C-alpha cells in the first residue's frame, strides 16, 4: 500500500479470520460459521492488492511482470514448503488412492487450480472424506490466484476507458456478482462453494474499497464507532449463526464480507480499534498465511489416523501450528520476499514457480502411473480401494442426474435387468436409488424384467415432499416427481421400483404411504427398496485396518429408527418390499465388508461392487424383484 502507512488493524482482522477457520476446523460445534474466515481473507486480499495496483496505475508505474513477481514471492515459497511436507508425510501415511489424489492436488495447488480439482474429486467441502484431504484448504488460494489473473487487467481497462466512473462501474459489478452467486448457490451448490464466479464479489468488494480509500477520507468519531460496531456485529453474527447447512456463498457470504469491509473502513482514519491492534492479534495476523497453510494438513492427518481431537490434542495442535507458522514466516516468507524483490522476473518465475511445478508434475505423473505406489501396503488394500471407487453415480452418470438437471427426460439406454427391447418399468428415487441399481440389475434378471433408471440427487420418490435441503432443491425435486408420476400414469408400467433416503421422522409416514399408494393405483407391481444402514467410516475403516494393522471395529448395530414401515406394509399388502439390511446386518450387526467385499463408497452410499454383491446374495437365497422365499430379519423395522 504505497499511498498509505502500514495498518496494524488489518493484521488484527487477519487474526480474526485465521482463528475462526482454525477453531471451526478443530471443532465445528464451537464456531459453526468459522468457515467465513476465508471470506474475510478474500476481502482483505482484494483491498490490499487493489490499493497497490490502483496506486501504481494512477502513477503510471504499473507492471504486470512486477505484479506477478510480487505474487510469486508472497505466495509460493511458504506454499511449496507446506506442499513438500505434506507429500512426504503422505508417502508414509496415505493409501495408494489417497496418495495419488494428494500428489495431483499438490501440483494443482501450486498451479492455482486446486479449487477445481477438489470440487471434482471431493464435492461437498463438509463431506466426510474431505476432512481427511491434507490440501483441501488450498481451494481458497486457487480462487485468489485466478482472481488476480483477471483483476489487474480489469482495473487497468476500466481506468483507461472511464477514469471517473471506476467505482460506479465496480458497484454495479458487485451487485451483479452477488446476484449471480445467489442464483448459482441455489442451482449448483457444490460448484458455487469452490469456483471463482460465485466468489468474485468478495474480492471485488475489497478491491472497490481500496479504490474508494485511495483518496484519504475523513471520518467522524460517531461514524467510526458505527462502522466498527456494525462490522463486529456482522462478523459475529456470521460466525455464530451460519453453519454447514446454510446455503453458501450467495447473499449469506455478503454478511461477513460487509463486516470485514466496514472494519477496514473504520480503521482508515487515525482512530484504530484496540482489539485489532494489540500485539498478540497483530502477531497472529502476521503469521496468518503460514498458519492457514500449516494447520489443516495437521488436522487432516489426525483425522486420517483416527486420532480424536480432544481438548489436549487440540491445544497441542494449535501450539505446533503456531510454532511451524512462526518458523515459516520468519525463515521462509520474509527472506524470500526480500530476496525476490532484487531478482529479475524471469529468474523468479523459473526458480520459484516453474522448477517446483515441474518437480510436483513428475511426482504426480509417477503416482498416477504407479497407482499410488501400492507396494507400501498389502495387496488387499488396493483391491478394497478399487471397490470403494466403483461409484454408481459415475458409472450411470447419464441415468442419475444432479439436481440442476432435474428437467432431463429419461434415457431409454439406461437399462437394468433383462436385455430385451421391451421396457417393463422404471426405477426412480434419489442417490440411494442410484446406488441400488447394481442390486436391482441382478434381482430383475431372473424374472426377465427390464427397467429404466431415472434418478435425481436429493430427491426421494415422495410426491409433494420438499427434501431437507435448500428451497430451490426442494422445488426441483417436486417438479421431477411430478414428471415421474406423469410417466407412470401415461405408461401404466407393469413394474415401478421406488428407492431413496426415506425420512426417519414418523411424521413423514402419511405422505410416504400416500405416494406409494398413488403409484400402486397406476401400475402393476410396486417394489419399495428400504434404506440401508449408515455406518461411520464404512468405506475407509476396513482399508485403514489393513494398512495400519489395527483391530478397530468397523461394524455398527442396526439402527431401528423408522417403525412406520410396519404399518405401511400391513395396509398395502400388494406392495413388494426389499431390505438390503438383510444382507448387510445379519443378527442385527451391520458390517461394511462381507466375504472380502467392501460394500460402501462413503458412510451411507453403497459402491457398485457392494450393491451387486447384495443382489447376488439375495438371489442365491431365492429372492428376486417378485419373489421373497423367506425373511432373514425384521424387514419392516430396519429403517
Amino acid at each position: 500500500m504505497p499511498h498509505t502507512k502500514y495498518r496494524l488493524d488489518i493484521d488484527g482482522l487477519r487474526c480474526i479470520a485465521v482463528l475462526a477457520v482454525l477453531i471451526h476446523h478443530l471443532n465445528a460445534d464451537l464456531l459453526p460459521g468459522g468457515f467465513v474466515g476465508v471470506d474475510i481473507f478474500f476481502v482483505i486480499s482484494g483491498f490490499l492488492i487493489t490499493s497497490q495496483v490502483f496506486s501504481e496505475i494512477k502513477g503510471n508505474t504499473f507492471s504486470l511482470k512486477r505484479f506477478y513477481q510480487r505474487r510469486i514471492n508472497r505466495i509460493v515459497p511458504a506454499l511449496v514448503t507446506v506442499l513438500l511436507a505434506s507429500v512426504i508425510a503422505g508417502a508414509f501415511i496415505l493409501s495408494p488412492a489417497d496418495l495419488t489424489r494428494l500428489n495431483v492436488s499438490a501440483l494443482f495447488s501450486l498451479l492455482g487450480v486446486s479449487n477445481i480439482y477438489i470440487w471434482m474429486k471431493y464435492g461437498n467441502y463438509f463431506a466426510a472424506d474431505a476432512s481427511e484431504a491434507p490440501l483441501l484448504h488450498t481451494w481458497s488460494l486457487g480462487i485468489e490466484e485466478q482472481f488476480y489473473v483477471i483483476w489487474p487487467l480489469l482495473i487497468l481497462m476500466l481506468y483507461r476507458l472511464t477514469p471517473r466512473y471506476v467505482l460506479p462501474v465496480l458497484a454495479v459489478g458487485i451487485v451483479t456478482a452477488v446476484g449471480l452467486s445467489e442464483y448459482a448457490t441455489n442451482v449448483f451448490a457444490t460448484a458455487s462453494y469452490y469456483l471463482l464466479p460465485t466468489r468474485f464479489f468478495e474480492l471485488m468488494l475489497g478491491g472497490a474499497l481500496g479504490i474508494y480509500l485511495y483518496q484519504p477520507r475523513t471520518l467522524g468519531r460517531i461514524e467510526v464507532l458505527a462502522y466498527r460496531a456494525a462490522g463486529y456485529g456482522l462478523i459475529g453474527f456470521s460466525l455464530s449463526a451460519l453453519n454447514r447447512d446454510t446455503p453458501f456463498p450467495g447473499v449469506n457470504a455478503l454478511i461477513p464480507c460487509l463486516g470485514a469491509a466496514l472494519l477496514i473502513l473504520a480503521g482508515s482514519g487515525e482512530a484504530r480499534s484496540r482489539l485489532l491492534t494489540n500485539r498478540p492479534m497483530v502477531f497472529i495476523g502476521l503469521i496468518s498465511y503460514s498458519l492457514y497453510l500449516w494447520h489443516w494438513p495437521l488436522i487432516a492427518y489426525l483425522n486420517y489416523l483416527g486420532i480424536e481431537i480432544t481438548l489436549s490434542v487440540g491445544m497441542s495442535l494449535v501450539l505446533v501450528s503456531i510454532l511451524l507458522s512462526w518458523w515459516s514466516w520468519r525463515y521462509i516468507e520474509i527472506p524470500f520476499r526480500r530476496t525476490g524483490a532484487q531478482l529479475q522476473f524471469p529468474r523468479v518465475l523459473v526458480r520459484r514457480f516453474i522448477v517446483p511445478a515441474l518437480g510436483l508434475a513428475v511426482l504426480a505423473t509417477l503416482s498416477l502411473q504407479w497407482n499410488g505406489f501400492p507396494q507400501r501396503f498389502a495387496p488387499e488394500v488396493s483391491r478394497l480401494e478399487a471397490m470403494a471407487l466403483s461409484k454408481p453415480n459415475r458409472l450411470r452418470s447419464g441415468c442419475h442426474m444432479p439436481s440442476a438437471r432435474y428437467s432431463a427426460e429419461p434415457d431409454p439406454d439406461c437399462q437394468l435387468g433383462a436385455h430385451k427391447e421391451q421396457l417393463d418399468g422404471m426405477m426412480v428415487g434419489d442417490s440411494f436409488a442410484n446406488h441400488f441399481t447394481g442390486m436391482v440389475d441382478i434381482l430383475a434378471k431372473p424374472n426377465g424384467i427390464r427397467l429404466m433408471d431415472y434418478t435425481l440427487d436429493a430427491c426421494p420418490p415422495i410426491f409433494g415432499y420438499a427434501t431437507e435441503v435448500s428451497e430451490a432443491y426442494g422445488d426441483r425435486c417436486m417438479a421431477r416427481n411430478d414428471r415421474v408420476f406423469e410417466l407412470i400414469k401415461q405408461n401404466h408400467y407393469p413394474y415401478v421400483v421406488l428407492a431413496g433416503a426415506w425420512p426417519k421422522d414418523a411424521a413423514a409416514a402419511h405422505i410416504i404411504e400416500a405416494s406409494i399408494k398413488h403409484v400402486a393405483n397406476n401400475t402393476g407391481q410396486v417394489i419399495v427398496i428400504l434404506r440401508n444402514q449408515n455406518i461411520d467410516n464404512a468405506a475407509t475403516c476396513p482399508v485403514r485396518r489393513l494398512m495400519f494393522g489395527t483391530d478397530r471395529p468397523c461394524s455398527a448395530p442396526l439402527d431401528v429408527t423408522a417403525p412406520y414401515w410396519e404399518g405401511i406394509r400391513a395396509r398395502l399388502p400388494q406392495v413388494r418390499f426389499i431390505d438390503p439390511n438383510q444382507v448387510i446386518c445379519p443378527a442385527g450387526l451391520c458390517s461394511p465388508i462381507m466375504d472380502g467385499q467392501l460394500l460402501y463408497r462413503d458412510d451411507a452410499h453403497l459402491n457398485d461392487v457392494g450393491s451387486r454383491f447384495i443382489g447376488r446374495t439375495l438371489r442365491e437365497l431365492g429372492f428376486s424383484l417378485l419373489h421373497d422365499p423367506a425373511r432373514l430379519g425384521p424387514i419392516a423395522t430396519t429403517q
Side-chain angles (χ1 to χ4, degrees), residues 381-436:
V381 169
S382 294
R383 192 180 75 85
L384 291 181
E385 280 203 314
M387 295 180 192
L389 294 174
S390 62
K391 300 181 177 182
N393 59 321
R394 293 183 181 175
L395 293 173
R396 304 190 67 80
S397 60
C399 311
H400 179 71
M401 299 294 177
S403 181
R405 295 192 60 196
Y406 72 97
S407 61
E409 288 295 304
D411 185 344
D413 292 331
C414 293
Q415 178 174 298
L416 298 172
H419 294 284
K420 62 180 187 179
E421 290 188 10
Q422 180 184 349
L423 181 67
D424 297 311
M426 65 190 306
M427 178 179 182
V428 295
D430 55 16
S431 59
F432 282 76
N434 166 251
H435 81 190
F436 285 131

Side-chain angles (χ1 to χ4, degrees), residues 461-482:
I462 308 172
F463 302 110
Y465 175 77
T467 57
E468 298 174 0
V469 289
S470 70
E471 182 179 349
Y473 271 57
D475 291 343
R476 289 195 289 273
C477 177
M478 286 192 283
R480 163 58 76 94
N481 280 333
D482 287 344

Side-chain angles (χ1 to χ4, degrees), residues 132-462:
E132 299 177 347
L135 299 177
L136 177 75
H137 62 324
T138 61
W139 71 269
S140 62
L141 299 183
I143 292 285
E144 287 208 27
E145 295 313 302
Q146 292 159 29
F147 179 83
Y148 289 122
V149 170
I150 302 169
W151 188 244
L153 297 174
L154 179 61
I155 295 300
L156 184 63
M157 180 185 70
L158 283 178
Y159 183 75
R160 289 181 175 174
L161 293 177
T162 59
R164 297 175 58 185
Y165 299 102
V166 173
L167 277 176
V169 171
L170 290 182
V172 173
I174 290 170
V175 172
T176 303
V178 171
L180 170 66
S181 181
E182 178 67 14
Y183 168 77
T185 298
N186 286 300
V187 178
F188 311 101
T190 303
S192 297
Y193 196 94
Y194 287 114
L195 303 184
L196 176 63
T198 45
R199 296 282 187 167
F200 205 89
F201 76 90
E202 302 182 29
L203 292 118
M204 182 185 274
L205 180 63
L209 181 61
I211 294 173
Y212 174 75
L213 292 178
Y214 175 77
Q215 296 292 341
R217 308 285 175 171
T218 302
L219 298 177
R221 183 172 178 275
I222 300 300
E223 286 181 286
V224 170
L225 292 176
Y227 291 150
R228 191 178 296 163
Y232 284 132
L234 290 171
I235 290 176
F237 173 82
S238 302
L239 294 175
S240 59
L242 304 184
N243 57 62
R244 59 182 296 172
D245 296 322
T246 303
F248 205 87
V251 172
N252 287 318
L254 186 61
I255 301 171
C257 290
L258 285 176
L262 287 170
L263 288 178
I264 294 172
L265 178 60
S268 62
E270 295 300 320
R272 302 286 165 81
S273 169
R274 291 185 181 181
L275 174 63
L276 297 180
T277 56
N278 67 71
R279 284 191 173 186
M281 294 282 284
V282 172
F283 169 73
I284 297 297
L286 287 170
I287 67 169
S288 61
Y289 174 56
S290 284
L291 184 55
Y292 181 78
L293 289 177
W294 280 106
H295 85 282
W296 179 250
L298 297 175
I299 293 174
Y301 280 125
L302 288 179
N303 290 337
Y304 198 91
L305 294 169
I307 299 173
E308 183 182 359
I309 301 180
T310 61
L311 179 61
S312 59
V313 172
M315 292 178 66
S316 300
L317 188 144
V318 170
L319 179 60
V320 171
S321 297
I322 290 175
L323 290 175
L324 282 172
S325 303
W326 173 81
W327 172 84
S328 178
W329 171 71
R330 177 67 179 80
Y331 295 105
I332 303 294
E333 286 191 59
I334 292 177
F336 274 79
R337 289 172 72 179
R338 286 175 177 169
T339 58
Q342 311 301 320
L343 297 175
Q344 296 295 318
F345 175 72
R347 283 193 172 187
V348 171
L349 180 65
V350 171
R351 293 181 183 180
R352 298 187 177 180
F353 183 75
I354 293 179
V355 169
L358 288 175
L360 290 174
V362 169
L363 181 61
T365 302
L366 291 175
S367 298
L368 291 168
Q369 184 175 355
W370 292 93
N371 299 314
F373 310 104
Q375 60 271 24
R376 295 173 298 132
F377 303 104
E380 187 71 2
V381 169
S382 294
R383 192 180 75 85
L384 291 181
E385 280 203 314
M387 295 180 192
L389 294 174
S390 62
K391 300 181 177 182
N393 59 321
R394 293 183 181 175
L395 293 173
R396 304 190 67 80
S397 60
C399 311
H400 179 71
M401 299 294 177
S403 181
R405 295 192 60 196
Y406 72 97
S407 61
E409 288 295 304
D411 185 344
D413 292 331
C414 293
Q415 178 174 298
L416 298 172
H419 294 284
K420 62 180 187 179
E421 290 188 10
Q422 180 184 349
L423 181 67
D424 297 311
M426 65 190 306
M427 178 179 182
V428 295
D430 55 16
S431 59
F432 282 76
N434 166 251
H435 81 190
F436 285 131
T437 50
M439 181 186 78
V440 170
D441 186 46
I442 298 292
L443 293 178
K445 287 178 180 176
N447 301 113
I449 297 172
R450 179 195 170 199
L451 300 173
M452 173 179 61
D453 50 325
Y454 184 48
T455 58
L456 181 75
D457 267 343
C459 189
I462 308 172

Side-chain angles (χ1 to χ4, degrees), residues 417-620:
H419 294 284
K420 62 180 187 179
E421 290 188 10
Q422 180 184 349
L423 181 67
D424 297 311
M426 65 190 306
M427 178 179 182
V428 295
D430 55 16
S431 59
F432 282 76
N434 166 251
H435 81 190
F436 285 131
T437 50
M439 181 186 78
V440 170
D441 186 46
I442 298 292
L443 293 178
K445 287 178 180 176
N447 301 113
I449 297 172
R450 179 195 170 199
L451 300 173
M452 173 179 61
D453 50 325
Y454 184 48
T455 58
L456 181 75
D457 267 343
C459 189
I462 308 172
F463 302 110
Y465 175 77
T467 57
E468 298 174 0
V469 289
S470 70
E471 182 179 349
Y473 271 57
D475 291 343
R476 289 195 289 273
C477 177
M478 286 192 283
R480 163 58 76 94
N481 280 333
D482 287 344
R483 178 57 179 150
V484 165
F485 189 63
E486 284 179 11
L487 290 170
I488 291 172
K489 286 182 63 178
Q490 175 184 335
N491 293 284
H492 290 282
Y493 296 115
Y495 307 100
V496 172
V497 179
L498 306 177
W502 303 106
K504 296 179 179 180
D505 186 0
H510 175 73
I511 193 170
I512 291 173
E513 181 175 348
S515 296
I516 297 172
K517 188 174 181 180
H518 209 31
V519 175
N521 290 337
N522 289 273
T523 192
Q525 175 70 66
V526 176
I527 300 102
V528 174
I529 301 177
L530 303 179
R531 182 173 179 171
N532 60 285
Q533 174 69 38
N534 280 31
I535 303 175
D536 289 342
N537 305 310
T540 58
C541 181
V543 177
R544 309 279 166 82
R545 192 165 56 182
L546 278 172
M547 288 170 57
F548 304 126
T550 65
D551 57 357
R552 62 193 242 185
C554 296
S555 300
L558 183 61
D559 182 14
V560 181
T561 56
Y564 57 73
W565 287 114
E566 181 70 36
I568 292 176
R569 186 171 186 203
R571 290 185 292 273
L572 299 176
Q574 74 274 33
V575 175
R576 171 89 166 86
F577 288 84
I578 297 177
D579 185 2
N581 290 329
Q582 291 181 298
V583 176
I584 300 170
C585 310
L589 187 64
C590 307
S591 175
I593 186 169
M594 305 195 74
D595 294 344
Q597 305 294 301
L598 185 63
L599 307 182
Y600 285 72
R601 67 178 174 89
D602 57 33
D603 292 0
H605 294 89
L606 302 172
N607 60 55
D608 190 62
V609 171
S611 181
R612 292 181 179 278
F613 173 83
I614 294 170
R616 286 194 301 272
T617 303
L618 289 173
R619 190 174 68 178
E620 288 167 5

Side-chain angles (χ1 to χ4, degrees), residues 53-87:
V53 167
F54 190 71
S55 176
E56 292 178 352
I57 289 174
K58 292 280 286 186
N60 202 29
T61 60
F62 176 72
S63 164
L64 270 178
K65 283 186 178 180
R66 191 162 55 248
F67 173 78
Y68 291 120
Q69 181 171 344
R70 287 195 299 262
R71 289 284 82 204
I72 292 171
N73 289 330
R74 174 73 177 98
I75 297 294
V76 173
L79 176 60
V80 168
T81 303
V82 172
L83 295 179
L84 182 61
S86 298
V87 298

